[in-house]
Amino acid sequence: MAAHELAAMKPTAVVSSPYRRAVATVEPAARKAGLEVTTRWELREWDSGLEPTPDYAGHYERSWVDPDFARPGAESLRQLTARAMAAVDRLAEEYDGGVVLVGSHGTFVSRLLAGVRTGIGWPFSRDMPMPAIHRLRRPHEHYPAPKAARSDLS
């Protein structure tokens, strides 16, 4: 059902994180729209520096409280926010005027939304359904610095 609705938006491109689960999420919509999925490294999930662990939620919550915190060799949530916003900004510029379907990951999407809208925090990220669909629109009249998309969360 989501694939049909997304394809009905007449996307000009379908772009995804290179991780298999993200590609698999947007592939049905791409097929229905007659497009191929293009992957971009900058759309990958957050590099938290954590090995898979059942108690990840406590570690993630700590990072949301202090978005500058980063484990050695890992990415802070503030760095992820900047990466996510820059990636979406590049897509908006590359496909100016077009609809771009983007497949990524929960923390990536949450931090993107946190960068463009107040009130997005750990509870939002933790409770986001998977898959989730969020529509971002780039305002054409004015574009505040740093460039950001407006989130239409309904």
Side-chain angles (χ1 to χ4, degrees):
M1 181 161 162
H4 178 73
E5 291 173 20
L6 292 171
M9 295 173 70
K10 299 185 171 117
T12 54
V14 180
V15 185
S16 176
S17 157
Y19 295 3
R20 187 175 306 156
R21 64 187 183 271
V23 173
T25 299
V26 295
E27 226 165 21
R31 266 195 313 275
K32 286 191 179 298
L35 299 168
E36 291 195 22
V37 177
T38 303
T39 61
R40 300 267 176 103
W41 178 244
E42 65 265 21
L43 298 174
R44 70 192 179 282
E45 180 58 293
W46 175 42
D47 177 7
S48 67
L50 286 173
E51 293 296 323
T53 176
D55 64 341
Y56 79 94
H59 297 287
Y60 275 40
E61 185 174 14
R62 175 181 176 200
S63 293
W64 277 86
V65 169
D66 179 6
D68 291 313
F69 172 76
R71 285 161 195 84
E75 181 178 42
S76 73
L77 285 180
R78 190 167 319 280
Q79 290 169 320
L80 173 59
T81 302
R83 173 167 58 87
M85 292 178 69
V88 169
D89 187 49
R90 277 190 294 280
L91 289 171
E93 288 176 8
E94 184 176 340
Y95 297 101
D96 188 36
V99 173
V100 181
L101 300 182
V102 178
S104 192
H105 308 275
T107 307
F108 179 98
V109 171
S110 295
R111 291 309 299 186
L112 171 64
L113 295 174
V116 299
R117 182 178 177 174
T118 61
I120 304 294
W122 168 240
F124 176 91
S125 184
R126 178 194 61 217
D127 299 337
M128 185 188 319
M130 299 293 171
I133 298 172
H134 300 280
R135 179 181 297 188
L136 297 177
R137 294 183 183 189
R138 181 180 187 185
H140 291 284
E141 311 80 49
H142 63 286
Y143 208 50
K147 292 181 179 180
R150 189 184 88 239
S151 174
D152 290 337
L153 298 177
S154 47

